[in-house]
Amino acid sequence: MRLTLQIWRQPGPDEAGAMRTYDVDDISPDMSFLEMLDVLNERLIVDGDEPVAFDHDCREGICGACGMVIDGTPHGPLRTTTCQLHMREFSDGDTIVIEPWRSKAFGVVKDLVVDRGAFDRIIGSGGYITAPTGAAPDAHATPVSKESAETAFDNAECIGCGACVAACPNGSAMLFTSAKVNHLNVLPQGAPEREKRVLNMVSTMDDEGFGGCTLTGECATVCPKGISLDSIAGLNREFMRALRKRP
Amino acid sequence: MALEIRAGRPSALSTLWRSTIGKKVAMATTGVIMIGFVVFHMAGNLKVFTGAAHFNAYSHWLRTIGEPALPHEGFLWIMRVVLVASVVVHIVAAERLTHRALHQRPRKHSKKSLLGRNYVAFTMRSGGVILALFVVWHILDLTALVVNARGQSGHPYQNLVAGFSLWYPNVIYLVAMLALGFHLWHGIWSAATTLGVRSRRHRAVKLLAAALSIVVTVGFAAVPVAVMTGMVS
Amino acid sequence: MTSYIDYTIGAPIADDKAPDGPVSERWNRRRFEAKLVNPANRRKKTIIVVGTGLAGGSAGATLAEQGYRVVQFCYQDSPRRAHSIAAQGGINAAKNYRNDGDSVYRLFYDTVKGGDFRSRESNVHRLAEVSVEIIDQCVAQGVPFAREYGGLLDTRSFGGVQVSRTFYARGQTGQQLLLGAYQALSRQIAAGNVEMHPRTEMLDLLVIDGRARGIVARDLITGEITVHIGDAVVLASGGYGNVFHLSTNAKNSNATAVWRAHRRGAYFGNPCFTQIHPTCIPRSGDHQSKLTLMSESLRNDGRIWVPKAKGDSRGPNEIPEDERDYYLERIYPAFGNLVPRDIASRAAKNVCDDGRGVGPGGQGVYLDFADAIKRMGRDAVSEKYGNLFEMYQRITAEDPYEVPMRIYPAIHYTMGGLWVDYDLQTTIPGLFAIGEANFSDHGANRLGASALMQGLGDGYFVLPSTINDYLARNPHTDVDEAHPEITAAVDGVTARLKRLVDNDGDRTPDSFHRELGELLWEYCGMSRNEAGLRKALARIPRLREEFWRRVKVPGTGAEFNQSLEKANRVCDYLELAELMCLDALHRAESCGGHFREESQTAEGEAARVDDAFGYVAAWEYTNGAPVLHKEELVFDYVHPTQRSYA
Ligand SMILES: Cc1cc2nc3c(=O)[nH]c(=O)nc-3n(C[C@H](O)[C@H](O)[C@H](O)COP(=O)(O)OP(=O)(O)OC[C@H]3O[C@@H](n4cnc5c(N)ncnc54)[C@H](O)[C@@H]3O)c2cc1C
Ligand code: HEM
Ligand code: HEM
Ligand code: SF4
Ligand code: F3S
Ligand code: FES
């Protein structure tokens, strides 16, 4: 099929960007969205033009590297990652608008590539359990109820892609932050640092300049891993609980 | 090296207020207080249908609650203080959050798709502003009696009927009631989530929110409609 | 430059670090004999870690906890995205949860046998020992392993072993283990003990006065070439499966770090030992950019078949039962569809070469669940494989409940890698290699769920003990930033990048990668023979020459430039590929993942030749033909037997 692409091109972090239009021909419906961009880039290189920069690595929907706003929806029309989106979701003659995640907390590096370092700093401020290597020789013996294990897992599935921030009208990172807080706070291993974890992660989240959550719910509708608003309710709960306990 | 709390972390209250979650909690709490008031207020208003005497008596009773323990209008003043405080906190928090959100995205996505959009949630800010303006007008109208057609203190029923006999107060009130309805519809569920109500109860909360917002809107709107249709005169 | 075929044989090489004595005592003894670094002095020692996968992430976090100053690198925008994240199946540990007769010794035994007797007994035994500690470490970090209703850990059996020793976290074990290591690492980064450099790629190794003292790296955002000095360098840069262009590896996994180290003097062990995974989704066309793995567990209930007739163009459901060839069940009645990875893969290739392959280009075989659905019911099947079926349908738009899946083997893992001794130190003092980057404990074939075990074992437990010994014996000396070795290396890197961007060619880097990959897959893939390998060895240098003549890289080196990154990696593939083919050519036996058509049994099975090839091939780089150093392998415990699945 034949498609018209409108892609955000921006040479560098501090340079101005603009939408540019490209035509791509004989695109197969079996191609993944990124393979379609590969085809475009191969042509651009040969034509002596700059290929479109975009992040990707696993191309299996698990590393969280890929991500672009496709026709206004982060990761596009399917509820999956951009790399798992296939061209059969589009039809011949379509015009597709492709943009980077837009958020003050995620600066554009180039074209569709953004800097999601803020997520790493949120994790670094408390998204872990302090367990020096070898310090817990019998950890496997601690039972964890299947229910907690499942809840922990549902939240642990977050791949840190940032689609939630891109989707949120307030540019809030609540869904991402809540996923990690819930993952660790429901586990017995996470209990000792429970209060400090949530307080520090939330204050880092705010310091990084993300917006507040007004429960618009868009994040959960685009999250490729199905993190739900329950996690946000859980984070709110943990936050107030921590304030009551005042560690 | 275990997790360290940020150096010099201030009191729980200021941490709460400084955080985005805390501002939401403040909005939710003040919101709930205001909900309590509107429900009570709406119920009171329905006394209009029982006639002038009853209604004015009710208004009088409002001013004499708790006497002699409380001075005349004591309860009313307590309520007013609480309400004013709530409205102020609510609005300030809303402004802060809105400000933050507007500055979070220097450039919008050039196209926004409709995937799973929750439209009601998007009326919160505009609806809030309408409500703010309404409350001001409303107090000038029926409490301060400044803009009221009759404006005779101590005769709220007559003031009210007089007011709603003109066309524009009706428009103002009905629009405001609609705004209120939307505001509560999302607001009640949102507040519940903000205050950490567990997800298994979310369906129940959503139902309650819908029901309550309809009851409140209809209940309030009934009065001007009744006056217009001459049911109340 | 003389042809690789004229390689010479150098002095034998031996692992002088492993203590002798009973295999079960060796790790304890080594840990006791290893010198320690006084905790007070650790802060003064800088360790450079390249990579943040399971191996690098766990090592960086642990070394920082021990008090060393760690400077760490990854090419992704975040350490959390390392290729390890994609691992699905699980991780082995000899905890004997099922009381099914598992033990450290059995895991050791299975791994040596599974590796087709081309790995070191002492290393493998140590791996089995630490496997037990890994699980505890991960649980303590909050890794949400699958649990029983009683709240204890669940296990399953994996990769054709008889015991149930594989711990797992849904279909995302690698993700959860990596996030555990990443979180531990993040804690050290926030505490200032690890200086993390994401989006920074190592382009050369600095060897000063005979010791590895640092790296030359490129900041992928600004293009700046930076120098990083330390007391030791650890490579945890993963495998080189992407040399084949199409593989299950992450798109940007590459061989640059290990190949640059090899060129600086680190020997390369068994480069031809690559693993092919039988159950991957076949390519759908020339646009294919990578291949997706479908968990091996599918073979537990799916039946593999192809039409009996060549070029049968009917849809699978039109082909009647008696015109189908369930070839695995036919050839290997005992194991049927559950034969080991390499055998299943080769059998698939054979039927496809025979013209009976299905799907686009005839490069696929059916994996049919019709019987399973009849037997267990659709719900039971979706209960077990639902998520895999969805993934398959998302990619192929075919419904596996209705039409059989199509699968084909793909490159999945590289057993070969930098040669290391028992301490995981390469032949360059101060340069260590861990995880898939080293030539590893898997011999000629890796068992399922053992790579995660090795990566974490190396990173959490082995390296942090053994590196102390090196650091204690080599007191810190300052390196002058203006050292001639450094300027030379920086100039070398800069010149190479400049040459790439300045070259006014007409072919994209990716087109060369694709061509090289097809060449390797054809001649150095699932089955190899002398004629083919010689052909490849003749063509690779020509392709390399064409690359430097015709490659076209847009943009400059002083900016974020993904084409330049790619081109730079392809250069190294073009050299590594030649060594792989040479290794495959010289090893005129079949073993594990390496199948030489000349060396098979009457039934067409792999025939190992222990007396001639019972060694590790450690290749030394020279500007001309490489030099082969042999490490003889001795088996005191597990005695070599010929595998037979017939
Ligand atoms: C699809 C798939 C499924 C798998 N499933 C399983 C399984 O179920 N069980 C199992 O045991 N094994 C499995 N494996 C194998 C296993 O995942 C890998 O062998 C293992 O994760 C390798 O880990 P690593 O830490 O050695 O390297 P990687 O995880 O590959 O990490 C490499 C790191 O090095 C960095 N790096 C590389 N080069 C450079 C450079 N030049 N400069 C800077 N940084 C660099 C990268 O950024 C990355 O951080 C699977 C593999 C694949 C592909
Ligand atoms: C059609 C709907 C409404 C009617 C008919 C109505 C009627 C009245 C009347 C008659 C009074 C004066 C009571 C008295 O002084 O005795 C009053 C006061 C007031 N009303 Fe309403 N009201 C309506 C809706 C609302 C709504 C939606 C709000 C808030 C969101 C509201 C907030 C108030 C407040 C704050 C006062 C002042 C109370 C005080 O301080 O005395 N009203 N209203
Ligand atoms: C007086 C003017 C008002 C303004 C300007 C206003 C504004 C807002 C805004 C902007 C929000 C969305 C907050 C967010 O960003 O999440 C909000 C939420 C809310 N409002 Fe109001 N509002 C007003 C009056 C009221 C009244 C009268 C009530 C109740 C009767 C009310 C109840 C709520 C509730 C319950 C919420 C949800 C709080 C949460 O999500 O936690 N508001 N308001
Ligand atoms: S919560 Fe969902 S959308 Fe947000 S980063 Fe995690 S996976 Fe992506
Ligand atoms: S979309 Fe935004 S407002 Fe909250 S619920 Fe999601 S973060
Ligand atoms: S590339 Fe890894 S999730 Fe898309």
PDB file of all heavy atoms in Angstrom, chain C residues 227-247:
ATOM      1  N   VAL C 227      37.157   9.500  27.019  1.00  0.00           N
ATOM      2  CA  VAL C 227      38.090   8.500  27.547  1.00  0.00           C
ATOM      3  C   VAL C 227      37.751   8.255  29.008  1.00  0.00           C
ATOM      4  O   VAL C 227      37.488   9.203  29.762  1.00  0.00           O
ATOM      5  CB  VAL C 227      39.538   9.018  27.428  1.00  0.00           C
ATOM      6  CG1 VAL C 227      40.494   8.123  28.205  1.00  0.00           C
ATOM      7  CG2 VAL C 227      39.938   9.102  25.967  1.00  0.00           C
ATOM      8  N   HIS C 228      37.694   6.995  29.396  1.00  0.00           N
ATOM      9  CA  HIS C 228      37.375   6.649  30.786  1.00  0.00           C
ATOM     10  C   HIS C 228      38.443   5.702  31.322  1.00  0.00           C
ATOM     11  O   HIS C 228      38.691   4.660  30.733  1.00  0.00           O
ATOM     12  CB  HIS C 228      35.988   6.014  30.864  1.00  0.00           C
ATOM     13  CG  HIS C 228      34.913   6.863  30.247  1.00  0.00           C
ATOM     14  ND1 HIS C 228      34.171   7.773  30.965  1.00  0.00           N
ATOM     15  CD2 HIS C 228      34.498   6.975  28.964  1.00  0.00           C
ATOM     16  CE1 HIS C 228      33.328   8.392  30.155  1.00  0.00           C
ATOM     17  NE2 HIS C 228      33.503   7.930  28.928  1.00  0.00           N
ATOM     18  N   ILE C 229      39.079   6.125  32.412  1.00  0.00           N
ATOM     19  CA  ILE C 229      40.190   5.359  32.971  1.00  0.00           C
ATOM     20  C   ILE C 229      39.747   4.646  34.250  1.00  0.00           C
ATOM     21  O   ILE C 229      38.958   5.184  35.025  1.00  0.00           O
ATOM     22  CB  ILE C 229      41.366   6.304  33.320  1.00  0.00           C
ATOM     23  CG1 ILE C 229      41.794   7.086  32.077  1.00  0.00           C
ATOM     24  CG2 ILE C 229      42.531   5.513  33.896  1.00  0.00           C
ATOM     25  CD1 ILE C 229      42.398   6.245  30.995  1.00  0.00           C
ATOM     26  N   GLY C 230      40.237   3.433  34.447  1.00  0.00           N
ATOM     27  CA  GLY C 230      39.908   2.706  35.669  1.00  0.00           C
ATOM     28  C   GLY C 230      40.990   1.701  36.003  1.00  0.00           C
ATOM     29  O   GLY C 230      41.998   1.590  35.298  1.00  0.00           O
ATOM     30  N   ASP C 231      40.783   0.947  37.080  1.00  0.00           N
ATOM     31  CA  ASP C 231      41.754  -0.074  37.487  1.00  0.00           C
ATOM     32  C   ASP C 231      41.463  -1.415  36.847  1.00  0.00           C
ATOM     33  O   ASP C 231      42.334  -2.286  36.796  1.00  0.00           O
ATOM     34  CB  ASP C 231      41.755  -0.206  39.005  1.00  0.00           C
ATOM     35  CG  ASP C 231      42.176   1.090  39.668  1.00  0.00           C
ATOM     36  OD1 ASP C 231      43.395   1.345  39.719  1.00  0.00           O
ATOM     37  OD2 ASP C 231      41.287   1.874  40.070  1.00  0.00           O
ATOM     38  N   ALA C 232      40.228  -1.605  36.407  1.00  0.00           N
ATOM     39  CA  ALA C 232      39.867  -2.840  35.704  1.00  0.00           C
ATOM     40  C   ALA C 232      38.672  -2.547  34.814  1.00  0.00           C
ATOM     41  O   ALA C 232      37.933  -1.588  35.045  1.00  0.00           O
ATOM     42  CB  ALA C 232      39.524  -3.941  36.702  1.00  0.00           C
ATOM     43  N   VAL C 233      38.522  -3.365  33.794  1.00  0.00           N
ATOM     44  CA  VAL C 233      37.411  -3.199  32.858  1.00  0.00           C
ATOM     45  C   VAL C 233      36.637  -4.508  32.786  1.00  0.00           C
ATOM     46  O   VAL C 233      37.232  -5.585  32.675  1.00  0.00           O
ATOM     47  CB  VAL C 233      37.919  -2.820  31.449  1.00  0.00           C
ATOM     48  CG1 VAL C 233      36.758  -2.727  30.464  1.00  0.00           C
ATOM     49  CG2 VAL C 233      38.698  -1.515  31.498  1.00  0.00           C
ATOM     50  N   VAL C 234      35.310  -4.416  32.897  1.00  0.00           N
ATOM     51  CA  VAL C 234      34.451  -5.597  32.825  1.00  0.00           C
ATOM     52  C   VAL C 234      33.549  -5.468  31.598  1.00  0.00           C
ATOM     53  O   VAL C 234      32.819  -4.484  31.467  1.00  0.00           O
ATOM     54  CB  VAL C 234      33.582  -5.718  34.092  1.00  0.00           C
ATOM     55  CG1 VAL C 234      32.667  -6.933  33.985  1.00  0.00           C
ATOM     56  CG2 VAL C 234      34.450  -5.794  35.340  1.00  0.00           C
ATOM     57  N   LEU C 235      33.620  -6.428  30.712  1.00  0.00           N
ATOM     58  CA  LEU C 235      32.730  -6.423  29.555  1.00  0.00           C
ATOM     59  C   LEU C 235      31.534  -7.329  29.834  1.00  0.00           C
ATOM     60  O   LEU C 235      31.693  -8.517  30.087  1.00  0.00           O
ATOM     61  CB  LEU C 235      33.463  -6.907  28.296  1.00  0.00           C
ATOM     62  CG  LEU C 235      34.614  -6.036  27.795  1.00  0.00           C
ATOM     63  CD1 LEU C 235      35.101  -6.535  26.445  1.00  0.00           C
ATOM     64  CD2 LEU C 235      34.201  -4.575  27.714  1.00  0.00           C
ATOM     65  N   ALA C 236      30.365  -6.741  29.813  1.00  0.00           N
ATOM     66  CA  ALA C 236      29.112  -7.493  29.990  1.00  0.00           C
ATOM     67  C   ALA C 236      28.204  -7.110  28.841  1.00  0.00           C
ATOM     68  O   ALA C 236      27.051  -6.739  29.018  1.00  0.00           O
ATOM     69  CB  ALA C 236      28.478  -7.151  31.320  1.00  0.00           C
ATOM     70  N   SER C 237      28.780  -7.161  27.640  1.00  0.00           N
ATOM     71  CA  SER C 237      28.127  -6.545  26.485  1.00  0.00           C
ATOM     72  C   SER C 237      27.260  -7.506  25.691  1.00  0.00           C
ATOM     73  O   SER C 237      26.770  -7.157  24.627  1.00  0.00           O
ATOM     74  CB  SER C 237      29.185  -5.920  25.587  1.00  0.00           C
ATOM     75  OG  SER C 237      30.161  -6.885  25.289  1.00  0.00           O
ATOM     76  N   GLY C 238      27.075  -8.722  26.191  1.00  0.00           N
ATOM     77  CA  GLY C 238      26.115  -9.619  25.554  1.00  0.00           C
ATOM     78  C   GLY C 238      26.693 -10.403  24.395  1.00  0.00           C
ATOM     79  O   GLY C 238      27.892 -10.378  24.127  1.00  0.00           O
ATOM     80  N   GLY C 239      25.803 -11.100  23.687  1.00  0.00           N
ATOM     81  CA  GLY C 239      26.222 -12.001  22.615  1.00  0.00           C
ATOM     82  C   GLY C 239      26.307 -11.313  21.268  1.00  0.00           C
ATOM     83  O   GLY C 239      25.956 -10.147  21.129  1.00  0.00           O
ATOM     84  N   TYR C 240      26.783 -12.074  20.278  1.00  0.00           N
ATOM     85  CA  TYR C 240      27.012 -11.494  18.948  1.00  0.00           C
ATOM     86  C   TYR C 240      26.090 -12.114  17.889  1.00  0.00           C
ATOM     87  O   TYR C 240      26.375 -12.085  16.702  1.00  0.00           O
ATOM     88  CB  TYR C 240      28.476 -11.641  18.532  1.00  0.00           C
ATOM     89  CG  TYR C 240      29.029 -13.057  18.644  1.00  0.00           C
ATOM     90  CD1 TYR C 240      28.968 -13.937  17.571  1.00  0.00           C
ATOM     91  CD2 TYR C 240      29.615 -13.509  19.824  1.00  0.00           C
ATOM     92  CE1 TYR C 240      29.463 -15.229  17.658  1.00  0.00           C
ATOM     93  CE2 TYR C 240      30.123 -14.788  19.929  1.00  0.00           C
ATOM     94  CZ  TYR C 240      30.038 -15.653  18.850  1.00  0.00           C
ATOM     95  OH  TYR C 240      30.521 -16.935  18.961  1.00  0.00           O
ATOM     96  N   GLY C 241      24.946 -12.656  18.345  1.00  0.00           N
ATOM     97  CA  GLY C 241      24.029 -13.311  17.409  1.00  0.00           C
ATOM     98  C   GLY C 241      23.584 -12.411  16.260  1.00  0.00           C
ATOM     99  O   GLY C 241      23.254 -12.889  15.178  1.00  0.00           O
ATOM    100  N   ASN C 242      23.622 -11.100  16.482  1.00  0.00           N
ATOM    101  CA  ASN C 242      23.167 -10.194  15.432  1.00  0.00           C
ATOM    102  C   ASN C 242      24.104 -10.136  14.235  1.00  0.00           C
ATOM    103  O   ASN C 242      23.780  -9.495  13.238  1.00  0.00           O
ATOM    104  CB  ASN C 242      22.970  -8.782  15.987  1.00  0.00           C
ATOM    105  CG  ASN C 242      21.562  -8.591  16.531  1.00  0.00           C
ATOM    106  OD1 ASN C 242      20.752  -9.512  16.471  1.00  0.00           O
ATOM    107  ND2 ASN C 242      21.294  -7.429  17.073  1.00  0.00           N
ATOM    108  N   VAL C 243      25.253 -10.805  14.327  1.00  0.00           N
ATOM    109  CA  VAL C 243      26.117 -10.857  13.147  1.00  0.00           C
ATOM    110  C   VAL C 243      25.325 -11.485  11.985  1.00  0.00           C
ATOM    111  O   VAL C 243      25.579 -11.199  10.825  1.00  0.00           O
ATOM    112  CB  VAL C 243      27.413 -11.660  13.454  1.00  0.00           C
ATOM    113  CG1 VAL C 243      27.096 -13.112  13.737  1.00  0.00           C
ATOM    114  CG2 VAL C 243      28.415 -11.524  12.319  1.00  0.00           C
ATOM    115  N   PHE C 244      24.303 -12.283  12.326  1.00  0.00           N
ATOM    116  CA  PHE C 244      23.479 -12.933  11.310  1.00  0.00           C
ATOM    117  C   PHE C 244      22.388 -12.013  10.766  1.00  0.00           C
ATOM    118  O   PHE C 244      21.554 -12.446   9.974  1.00  0.00           O
ATOM    119  CB  PHE C 244      22.813 -14.183  11.886  1.00  0.00           C
ATOM    120  CG  PHE C 244      23.752 -15.343  12.082  1.00  0.00           C
ATOM    121  CD1 PHE C 244      24.500 -15.463  13.239  1.00  0.00           C
ATOM    122  CD2 PHE C 244      23.894 -16.303  11.106  1.00  0.00           C
ATOM    123  CE1 PHE C 244      25.365 -16.526  13.421  1.00  0.00           C
ATOM    124  CE2 PHE C 244      24.756 -17.386  11.273  1.00  0.00           C
ATOM    125  CZ  PHE C 244      25.501 -17.494  12.443  1.00  0.00           C
ATOM    126  N   HIS C 245      22.367 -10.769  11.203  1.00  0.00           N
ATOM    127  CA  HIS C 245      21.346  -9.787  10.828  1.00  0.00           C
ATOM    128  C   HIS C 245      19.968 -10.173  11.356  1.00  0.00           C
ATOM    129  O   HIS C 245      19.385  -9.457  12.140  1.00  0.00           O
ATOM    130  CB  HIS C 245      21.266  -9.561   9.316  1.00  0.00           C
ATOM    131  CG  HIS C 245      20.259  -8.499   8.964  1.00  0.00           C
ATOM    132  ND1 HIS C 245      19.014  -8.807   8.473  1.00  0.00           N
ATOM    133  CD2 HIS C 245      20.304  -7.154   9.097  1.00  0.00           C
ATOM    134  CE1 HIS C 245      18.337  -7.681   8.292  1.00  0.00           C
ATOM    135  NE2 HIS C 245      19.090  -6.669   8.662  1.00  0.00           N
ATOM    136  N   LEU C 246      19.452 -11.329  10.940  1.00  0.00           N
ATOM    137  CA  LEU C 246      18.171 -11.756  11.490  1.00  0.00           C
ATOM    138  C   LEU C 246      18.419 -12.697  12.650  1.00  0.00           C
ATOM    139  O   LEU C 246      19.015 -13.761  12.488  1.00  0.00           O
ATOM    140  CB  LEU C 246      17.327 -12.453  10.422  1.00  0.00           C
ATOM    141  CG  LEU C 246      16.690 -11.542   9.385  1.00  0.00           C
ATOM    142  CD1 LEU C 246      15.800 -12.349   8.455  1.00  0.00           C
ATOM    143  CD2 LEU C 246      15.921 -10.402  10.028  1.00  0.00           C
ATOM    144  N   SER C 247      17.991 -12.295  13.841  1.00  0.00           N
ATOM    145  CA  SER C 247      18.106 -13.164  15.010  1.00  0.00           C
ATOM    146  C   SER C 247      17.044 -12.737  15.997  1.00  0.00           C
ATOM    147  O   SER C 247      16.328 -11.769  15.769  1.00  0.00           O
ATOM    148  CB  SER C 247      19.492 -13.013  15.643  1.00  0.00           C
ATOM    149  OG  SER C 247      19.503 -11.900  16.526  1.00  0.00           O
TER     150      SER C 247
END
